């Protein structure tokens, strides 16, 4: 009997101290909460269920302790309706018809006309002097409802799909922010996130927040500002080195402390380069710029499966020979002074000069695609009028197997088209050793005549990286791409070592 009595007393206390459960029940006088935030959260969830928005209104603070002891939450339509007086039409002429205007009057008229400029349109909540409210008071270290008015003098939102537009219910709930954060890390736009959420919830009508809320959330997630972006990036590099001892980075700043050049490479790429993949490197600095307007310059290699792999990344503020000198020096320092055997780039003069100085024993090849594109721009009218010249020119380039054979065929071209082989043709001949295939017959450029490896990686980066974001974000996306490359390489390693191709035999009929 004593145990039963104690149980009843305990149940009575629980009823007396009843709090908000998972379902927002209507508040009542005597309901108690542990904190003021719990009280507001419960009233806000109740308002969401009913279809109105709340606002924190007046409060009372103790003069002795400075602690808030009473707080009122009300409907956000609690104010009196505002009578808006329309702006009267301004006459086109303000001159006095009875007497001539003075210069002072003209100035006053001009000032008055400027005061009637059209102001920016702003949307405000229609006020109805609604009396719905909940007042809580601090009693015995808990907040107790002392006043509650449930009735409103205005229509409530009946459609659940419209509740997300109410002022107090806008934005993404805290418990649901994790997924948009991960999607933002994957470089998805707010529009694509909303499409994904619409598919997840079944319809965009029942998504509990708007695309604007997603956009605002992603804006808050943006990496540090320009002033501290580089500092945060370098600190992140130091943390990476704790888990990856082979990680290497180098940064150059100017006299004012601003970053001029940056280079980094992970330990796995350094090991792969040193052991096997230093025979051919593609280098290109034409990729999109970051928020600091620094072009991105990746070093791209080719593994044994014909896959493109990253062998280092750099940012340069200016595409000058001095910038490339610093970048190539950093690359050599990271790779223990081992220069690539062969390198292919676009036809950049500053880059070519730097390669000649820093990689003196490296065979430098220029991208044929860029050279032929420029030739088409310069020689387009001439080639259009002489189709035979196009055919003979391509045959000279593609079917010369030795430099000597190329020289003979070029001389024959000059004799056959004596009046046309000048101008840009002379420039192409002058640079022949940097792009004509026969000059690289005994060098290792695996199925490679252009910087297509770098261009292909540019397309991959555009899927992962937003150029308006920070270098720190870029570095983190670079890590994801490296992991993706390692996964693909692991799959190809398995196929090479444990699978075999079925031989196809053609039987005669």
């Amino acid at each position: 009997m004593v145990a039963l009595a104690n149980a009843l007393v305990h149940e009575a206390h629980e009823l007396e101290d009843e709090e908000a459960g998972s379902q927002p029940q209507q508040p009542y006088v005597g309901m108690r909460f542990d904190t003021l935030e719990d009280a507001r959260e419960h009233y806000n969830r109740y308002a969401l269920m009913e279809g109105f928005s709340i606002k924190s209104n007046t409060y009372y603070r103790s003069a002795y302790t400075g602690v808030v002891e009473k707080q009122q939450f009300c409907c956000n339509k609690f104010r009196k309706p505002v009578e808006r007086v329309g702006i009267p039409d301004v006459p086109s002429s303000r001159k006095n018809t009875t007497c001539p205007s003075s210069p002072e009057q003209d100035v006053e008229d001009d000032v008055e006309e400027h005061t009637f400029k059209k102001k920016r349109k702003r949307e405000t909540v229609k006020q109805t002097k609604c009396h719905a409210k909940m007042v809580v008071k601090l009693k015995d270290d808990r907040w107790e409802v002392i006043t509650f008015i449930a009735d409103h003098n205005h229509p409530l939102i009946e459609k659940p799909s419209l509740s997300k537009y109410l002022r107090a219910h806008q934005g993404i709930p805290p418990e649901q922010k994790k997924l948009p954060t991960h999607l933002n890390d994957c470089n998805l736009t707010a529009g694509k996130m909303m499409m994904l959420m619409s598919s997840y919830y079944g319809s965009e009508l029942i998504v509990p927040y708007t695309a604007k809320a997603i956009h605002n959330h992603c804006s808050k997630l943006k990496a540090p500002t320009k002033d501290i972006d580089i500092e945060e990036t370098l600190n992140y590099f130091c943390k990476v080195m704790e888990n990856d001892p082979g990680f290497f980075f180098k940064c150059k700043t100017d006299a004012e402390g601003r970053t001029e050049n940056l280079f980094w490479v992970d330990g796995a790429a350094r090991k792969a380069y040193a052991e096997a993949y230093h025979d051919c490197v593609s280098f290109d600095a034409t990729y999109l710029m970051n928020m600091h307007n620094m072009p991105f310059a990746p070093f791209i290699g080719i593994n044994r499966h014909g896959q493109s792999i990253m062998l280092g990344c750099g940012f340069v503020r200016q595409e000058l020979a001095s910038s490339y000198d610093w970048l190539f020096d950093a690359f050599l320092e990271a790779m223990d002074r081992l220069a690539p055997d062969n390198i292919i780039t676009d036809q950049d003069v500053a880059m070519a000069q730097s390669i000649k100085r820093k990689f003196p024993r490296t065979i430098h090849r220029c991208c044929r695609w860029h050279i032929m594109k420029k030739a088409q721009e310069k020689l387009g009218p001439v080639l259009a009028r002489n189709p035979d010249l196009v055919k003979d020119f391509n045959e000279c380039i593609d079917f010369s197997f030795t430099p000597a054979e190329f020289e003979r065929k070029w001389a024959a071209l000059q004799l056959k088209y004596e009046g046309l082989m000048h101008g840009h043709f002379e420039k192409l001949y002058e640079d022949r050793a940097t792009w004509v295939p026969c000059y690289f017959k005994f060098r290792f450029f695996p199925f490679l005549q252009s910087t297509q490896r770098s261009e292909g990686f540019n397309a991959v980066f555009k899927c992962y990286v937003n150029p308006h974001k920070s270098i720190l974000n870029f570095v983190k996306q670079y890590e994801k791409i490296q992991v993706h490359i390692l996964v693909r390489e692991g799959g190809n390693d398995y196929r090479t070592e444990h699978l075999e191709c079925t031989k196809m035999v053609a039987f005669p009929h």
Side-chain angles (χ1 to χ4, degrees):
M1 292 295 292
V2 175
L4 179 60
N6 290 336
L8 292 174
V9 171
H10 181 69
E11 183 178 356
H13 283 297
E14 285 185 345
L15 291 174
E16 181 180 353
D17 297 339
E18 183 177 359
E19 298 177 321
S22 58
Q23 295 296 328
Q25 66 179 118
Q26 178 174 301
Y28 59 87
V29 175
M31 178 180 282
R32 306 183 73 184
F33 304 91
D34 291 333
T35 65
L36 183 61
E37 182 60 30
D38 290 343
R40 187 191 184 283
E41 179 64 23
H42 177 76
Y43 191 48
N44 194 43
R45 288 192 289 118
Y46 166 75
L48 177 62
M49 182 181 67
E50 293 295 319
F52 69 96
S53 183
I54 71 167
K55 183 179 179 65
S56 297
N57 199 9
T58 59
Y59 63 90
Y60 172 77
R61 188 186 299 272
S62 172
Y64 298 100
T65 62
V67 177
V68 175
E69 295 183 348
K70 185 188 294 185
Q71 175 72 57
Q72 180 186 112
F73 303 103
C74 60
C75 174
N76 72 336
K77 294 178 179 286
F78 72 101
R79 300 183 186 276
K80 293 181 180 180
V82 179
E83 295 183 3
R84 301 189 179 277
V85 180
I87 299 176
D89 294 334
V90 182
S92 60
S93 175
R94 294 177 177 275
K95 292 184 179 181
N96 192 336
T97 57
T98 60
C99 61
S101 61
S102 63
E104 291 81 8
Q105 183 179 350
D106 290 339
V107 173
E108 291 178 0
D109 291 342
D110 291 340
V111 173
E112 188 176 357
E113 287 179 3
H114 281 292
T115 60
F116 283 89
K117 284 185 178 180
K118 186 177 180 181
K119 294 184 178 180
R120 180 183 175 184
K121 184 179 179 181
R122 298 179 65 90
E123 296 179 340
T124 57
V125 177
K126 293 181 180 179
Q127 300 295 327
T128 63
K129 200 177 180 180
C130 181
H131 295 289
K133 63 181 179 180
M134 182 183 79
V135 182
V136 293
K137 185 177 181 180
L138 186 61
K139 292 183 178 181
D140 299 329
D141 295 330
R142 301 190 72 191
W143 293 87
E144 182 177 320
V145 178
I146 60 173
T147 304
F148 175 71
I149 300 176
D151 297 331
H152 296 260
N153 63 355
H154 58 86
L156 303 179
I157 299 296
E158 296 182 356
K159 293 183 178 180
S161 60
L162 300 181
S163 298
K164 58 188 172 185
Y165 298 105
L166 292 171
R167 188 70 58 85
H169 309 303
Q170 292 178 354
I172 304 175
E175 65 275 7
Q176 299 183 25
K177 289 184 177 181
K178 191 172 183 180
L179 179 57
T181 301
H182 286 310
L183 296 179
N184 179 72
D185 291 340
C186 295
N187 203 31
L188 266 67
T189 62
K192 291 183 178 179
M193 290 187 201
M194 179 53 71
M195 292 176 59
L196 186 61
M197 295 301 177
S198 301
S199 177
Y200 177 77
Y201 283 95
S203 172
E204 187 174 348
L205 292 173
I206 58 177
V207 177
Y209 39 83
T210 62
K212 184 178 180 180
I214 297 177
H215 177 77
N216 293 339
H217 174 68
C218 294
S219 298
K220 294 178 181 178
L221 294 175
K222 282 186 177 179
T225 59
K226 291 184 179 180
D227 297 334
I228 61 173
D229 179 28
I230 297 297
E231 180 181 352
E232 291 290 331
T233 302
L234 297 181
N235 291 336
Y236 182 77
F237 283 159
C238 293
K239 293 180 181 178
V240 173
M241 292 181 68
E242 296 177 1
N243 299 323
D244 182 8
F247 186 86
F248 176 90
F249 74 93
K250 194 173 184 179
C251 180
K252 179 186 178 183
T253 57
D254 58 16
E256 299 179 1
R258 297 177 301 181
T259 299
E260 284 189 350
N261 304 317
L262 180 67
F263 173 80
W264 76 95
V265 58
D266 60 277
R270 294 178 68 187
K271 182 179 179 181
Y273 178 86
E275 293 180 352
Y277 302 133
H278 57 271
D279 44 15
C280 183
V281 171
S282 176
F283 179 77
D284 189 13
T286 60
Y287 179 60
L288 54 87
M289 299 182 180
N290 60 12
M291 65 185 295
H292 302 271
N293 293 323
M294 297 173 68
F296 173 62
F299 293 84
I300 306 299
I302 305 172
N303 65 11
R304 62 175 180 155
H305 305 295
Q307 255 183 291
S308 297
I309 57 176
M310 284 192 292
L311 300 174
C313 294
F315 281 108
V316 291
R317 184 169 295 279
Q318 294 179 315
E319 297 183 70
L320 303 176
S322 58
S323 298
Y324 291 126
D325 284 348
W326 183 93
L327 190 62
F328 294 151
D329 279 336
F331 179 82
L332 289 173
E333 183 178 350
M335 303 304 181
D336 297 326
R337 314 307 301 178
L338 178 61
D341 297 337
N342 307 282
I343 189 169
I344 184 168
T345 70
D346 60 4
Q347 201 175 19
D348 184 272
V349 177
M351 194 181 298
Q353 294 174 351
S354 182
I355 290 174
K356 188 175 182 180
R357 284 194 297 269
K358 300 301 177 180
F359 304 145
R361 298 183 179 180
T362 299
I363 301 300
H364 179 207
R365 184 174 187 174
C366 292
C367 173
R368 176 178 172 175
W369 184 86
H370 286 95
I371 292 175
M372 298 305 291
K373 181 182 178 182
K374 188 174 182 180
Q376 183 66 31
E377 295 172 356
K378 299 285 186 179
L379 305 172
V382 176
L383 298 177
R385 292 191 299 267
N386 300 273
D388 291 339
L389 174 59
V390 177
K391 181 180 178 181
D392 293 341
F393 176 76
N394 289 333
E395 183 177 354
C396 176
I397 301 300
D398 294 329
F399 296 98
S400 296
F401 295 100
T402 63
E405 184 179 358
F406 171 79
E407 296 289 348
R408 289 195 302 271
K409 289 185 177 181
W410 190 268
L413 275 178
Q414 289 180 315
L415 290 176
K416 185 175 182 180
Y417 303 98
E418 184 176 358
L420 302 175
M421 298 294 291
H422 57 79
H424 193 70
F425 279 109
E426 296 174 349
K427 175 64 176 175
L428 291 174
Y429 179 75
E430 181 182 344
D431 298 334
R432 62 192 181 279
T434 64
W435 66 278
V436 177
C438 65
Y439 286 89
F440 306 97
K441 183 177 180 181
F442 299 102
R443 305 303 302 185
F444 185 72
F445 289 94
F447 307 103
L448 201 62
Q449 296 191 50
S450 68
T451 55
Q452 60 188 15
R453 295 283 177 172
S454 297
E455 297 292 338
F457 247 94
N458 288 349
V460 174
F461 270 109
K462 288 178 182 178
C463 296
Y464 279 83
V465 180
N466 187 331
H468 302 293
K469 294 187 178 180
S470 64
I471 292 181
L472 180 60
N473 175 267
F474 194 103
V475 171
K476 292 181 178 180
Q477 299 302 325
Y478 160 85
E479 292 178 343
K480 293 181 180 179
I481 297 175
Q482 283 290 65
V483 172
H484 178 68
I485 292 173
L486 292 176
V487 170
R488 290 184 56 195
E489 186 175 9
N492 288 330
D493 287 342
Y494 172 80
R495 293 174 58 193
T496 301
E497 297 173 3
H498 300 282
L499 302 180
E500 62 180 6
C501 296
T502 302
K503 296 181 181 180
M504 304 297 293
V505 180
F507 294 98
H509 295 287

